[in-house]
Amino acid sequence: MFERLQAVEDRYDQLNELLSDPDVVSDPTKLRDYSKEQAGLQETVEVYREYKRIVTERDNAKSLLEEKLDDEMKELVTLEISELEEQIGPLEERLKVLLIPKDPNDDKNVIMEIRGAAGGDEAALFAGNLFRMYSRYAEANNWKVDVMDASQTELGGFKEIIFSINGNGAFSKLKFENGAHRVQRVPETESGGRVHTSTATVAVLPEAEDVDIEIRKEDLKIDTYRSSGAGGQHVNTTDSAVRITHLPTGIVVSMQDEKSQIKNREKAMKVLKARVYDAAQREAQAEYAASRKSAVGTGDRSERIRTYNFPQNRVTDHRIGLTIQKLDQIIEGHLEEIIDALIIEEQAHNLESLNAHD
């Protein structure tokens, strides 16, 4: 572990030198890449240096005990050693967590897709509740939400809504939301007062940058058509809606939210890149995932990950067996308790795997 930590500190120092090199400063790509790498190592290096400082202080204090000291001084030095050793254990544990390989997508913005699944109108209403929940959570984190496309129902829910969330670390927090979400409640459309069960699916995609994936023009089929609203009414009389097909994967994205064809094309390309990038990652990780299942599930969108029980004000995350009696707060966007628990569980699982590998 300490060899790896020393290697991280050496690389951090090297990056500091590179970032003051005129050749790097004049190259925006290198400057961005090195700055990003340095920022990713900073916390590990700071904790490691703090750890080394405390170990050195403890060792110096221990060497003092070998000298001739009066009883009072010996007691003070012994107390200092004890206090320093109490700090060493937690720092070692923190360093182990910091050495866990980081998900390269953690710092990315996300594109989320929520769809009403089983349950008709009630599922669409629940999809609307989930969108509002994530919007509130994003707002609390100072992240920006941008609706890219939406298919609303007459009752105000969504058959489908696609939106981006832009902000520092958005993917690292929201990636655990991938899967099927189940709701148990008395629907507004139900006069008999019976509890119904409905589901909505959530897909969380890291927003792909041009450096992540290359999409060639010849691999795209682009169609334009007139946007249509509820009941087939034409929203406008120009061909502003866009449908892009990625021929190698068969992935299709349609966008008609904007009145401008150019804006719809831009949004469609952003979603397409994210889906193609996500598909490529899933394919690459399929074999790995089969041999080592994640602590919080496979990420399969058909996997039921959470139940929201309104009559009992209860939320249960089935992947880690967590039940919280605060549905009224969670549905308002207070997701911290659930997301923090999922992150801790994943870190513990990864740490276990890292120790087993060592």
Side-chain angles (χ1 to χ4, degrees):
M1 179 174 103
F2 294 105
E3 284 178 11
R4 290 206 297 272
L5 285 165
Q6 191 55 54
V8 168
E9 186 179 30
D10 292 344
R11 177 60 178 165
Y12 183 81
D13 291 337
Q14 184 187 19
L15 287 165
N16 269 339
E17 290 178 18
L18 285 167
L19 287 168
S20 58
D21 186 322
D23 290 340
V24 172
V25 173
S26 61
D27 185 330
T29 304
K30 280 185 179 177
L31 187 65
R32 182 197 66 204
D33 291 347
Y34 289 153
S35 297
K36 191 174 179 182
E37 187 183 351
Q38 187 204 42
L41 299 177
Q42 187 171 345
E43 186 183 0
T44 306
V45 170
E46 286 175 355
V47 176
Y48 179 47
R49 286 175 177 169
E50 174 71 0
Y51 172 83
K52 287 196 294 183
R53 182 186 68 77
I54 289 171
V55 167
T56 301
E57 284 185 20
R58 182 206 57 187
D59 293 345
N60 289 341
K62 279 185 173 180
S63 64
L64 268 178
L65 285 178
E66 295 171 10
E67 299 177 13
K68 288 183 180 179
L69 303 172
D70 59 44
D71 290 344
E72 187 181 349
M73 181 61 79
K74 190 177 284 187
E75 190 177 330
L76 283 171
V77 172
T78 304
L79 180 63
E80 184 187 357
I81 291 168
S82 176
E83 287 175 350
L84 289 166
E85 285 185 336
E86 279 180 15
Q87 296 176 60
I88 288 171
L91 283 171
E92 281 183 352
E93 290 306 309
R94 195 171 162 203
L95 285 168
K96 285 177 186 175
V97 170
L98 287 168
L99 278 178
I100 294 169
K102 194 179 175 189
D103 185 333
N105 293 320
D106 274 355
D107 294 329
K108 293 186 186 296
N109 298 326
V110 303
I111 290 174
M112 295 188 78
E113 303 177 1
I114 304 176
R115 294 177 177 85
D121 286 336
E122 172 61 11
L125 286 168
F126 179 48
N129 294 146
L130 291 176
F131 168 64
R132 185 171 176 273
M133 178 179 80
Y134 293 127
S135 298
R136 289 287 180 89
Y137 180 67
E139 192 181 311
N141 282 279
N142 296 315
W143 297 337
K144 185 188 172 200
V145 178
D146 178 28
V147 175
M148 306 177 81
D149 201 33
S151 175
Q152 250 182 313
T153 63
E154 290 178 6
L155 293 174
F158 294 103
K159 289 178 184 174
E160 174 186 75
I161 182 164
I162 301 171
F163 56 101
S164 63
I165 296 183
N166 298 346
N168 187 32
F171 186 78
S172 69
K173 299 286 182 73
L174 292 168
K175 62 185 175 182
F176 301 110
E177 299 305 297
N178 229 13
H181 295 241
R182 180 174 71 168
V183 63
Q184 294 173 326
R185 65 182 173 189
V186 178
E188 292 173 29
T189 53
E190 174 63 51
S191 57
R194 292 182 294 120
V195 173
H196 281 222
T197 298
S198 306
T199 57
T201 60
V202 175
V204 184
L205 314 177
E207 186 177 297
E209 298 167 20
D210 290 337
V211 292
D212 296 324
I213 193 159
E214 182 188 1
I215 293 182
R216 302 181 305 170
K217 285 183 181 178
E218 55 265 37
D219 288 339
L220 300 176
K221 179 175 181 282
I222 301 175
D223 300 304
T224 57
Y225 56 98
R226 288 184 182 178
S227 299
S228 60
Q233 296 296 314
H234 288 305
V235 173
N236 55 46
T237 55
T238 59
D239 291 345
S240 62
V242 174
R243 183 190 301 109
I244 303 179
T245 305
H246 185 244
L247 299 172
T249 60
I251 291 171
V252 180
V253 176
S254 299
M255 199 67 64
Q256 62 171 32
D257 200 51
E258 300 283 351
K259 290 180 181 177
S260 156
Q261 185 189 119
I262 293 170
K263 287 184 178 177
N264 280 327
R265 187 183 291 227
E266 283 175 1
K267 284 187 173 183
M269 275 304 298
K270 191 178 276 194
V271 174
L272 183 81
K273 280 183 182 177
R275 287 188 189 171
V276 171
Y277 179 58
D278 183 60
Q281 284 199 308
R282 284 174 179 276
E283 190 177 329
Q285 291 171 358
E287 190 177 323
Y288 177 69
S291 61
R292 177 180 162 266
K293 189 179 176 184
S294 162
V296 294
T298 60
D300 186 332
R301 281 164 208 149
S302 64
E303 178 187 14
R304 190 187 74 204
I305 64 163
R306 196 175 296 149
T307 295
Y308 304 73
N309 185 301
F310 276 77
Q312 296 177 28
N313 195 35
R314 185 181 70 220
V315 176
T316 300
D317 196 289
H318 304 290
R319 297 164 294 181
I320 56 173
L322 175 70
T323 296
I324 303 173
Q325 304 287 153
K326 296 178 185 174
L327 172 55
D328 54 336
Q329 295 175 38
I330 287 162
I331 208 72
E332 288 296 319
H334 299 288
L335 286 163
E336 299 82 8
E337 194 171 341
I338 293 179
I339 287 173
D340 288 349
L342 289 162
I343 289 171
I344 290 165
E345 186 73 20
E346 187 77 343
Q347 285 180 342
H349 181 81
N350 289 340
L351 190 56
E352 197 178 300
S353 300
L354 198 66
N355 289 340
H357 179 71
D358 288 347

